[in-house]
Amino acid sequence: QVQLVESGGGLVQPGGSLRLSCAASGTIFKISGMGWYRQAPGKQRELVATLISGANINYEDSVKGRFTISRDNAKNTAYLHMNNLKPEDTAIYYCHADQRGTRYWGRGTQVTVSS
């Protein structure tokens, strides 16, 4: 069992920046990938970015060039650096970690981009 805790969300003005963190704990053997999804009010959950071991990274088109995903394997922590935030980035951001064929999810952290 893997537990994930997201942090770093909050309220930011358009054009601002935030860094989200996702710390994994519990029964860690080998996490093959970590990433981020988000869900805005009234919308379906969508992929933001994923990082698979071996540095294979995938970004949703609307965040390319603005968001950067990274991972500290020693700390079992993933990060999402978000720059030039837009109102449409407002959502609950969920971290996931993949291990032994199971995808684990955090409870989410709220990001609100508003003037």
Side-chain angles (χ1 to χ4, degrees):
Q1 185 66 229
V2 176
Q3 293 81 44
L4 302 174
V5 179
E6 302 99 334
S7 62
L11 175 65
V12 65
Q13 293 185 344
S17 299
L18 286 173
R19 185 183 71 178
L20 306 183
S21 298
C22 174
S25 62
T27 307
I28 306 296
F29 293 97
K30 182 177 177 61
I31 295 176
S32 60
M34 298 186 73
W36 297 87
Y37 281 68
R38 67 186 181 187
Q39 186 167 23
K43 295 185 177 181
Q44 295 182 337
R45 187 175 298 190
E46 67 176 0
L47 172 73
V48 178
T50 58
L51 194 162
I52 302 172
S53 296
N56 296 307
I57 301 174
N58 187 37
Y59 292 99
E60 195 274 328
D61 286 342
S62 69
V63 309
K64 288 181 179 177
R66 300 189 297 119
F67 291 11
T68 302
I69 187 172
S70 62
R71 178 180 170 186
D72 186 334
N73 291 331
K75 296 181 179 180
N76 292 314
T77 300
Y79 304 93
L80 186 68
H81 299 260
M82 305 184 294
N83 298 313
N84 192 24
L85 284 160
K86 303 176 180 180
E88 52 263 42
D89 295 319
T90 296
I92 301 174
Y93 284 70
Y94 297 91
C95 173
H96 75 80
D98 302 327
Q99 178 175 265
R100 294 186 168 186
T102 300
R103 174 159 289 183
Y104 300 90
W105 293 93
R107 299 184 69 179
T109 185
Q110 177 71 47
V111 172
T112 302
V113 185
S114 177
S115 299

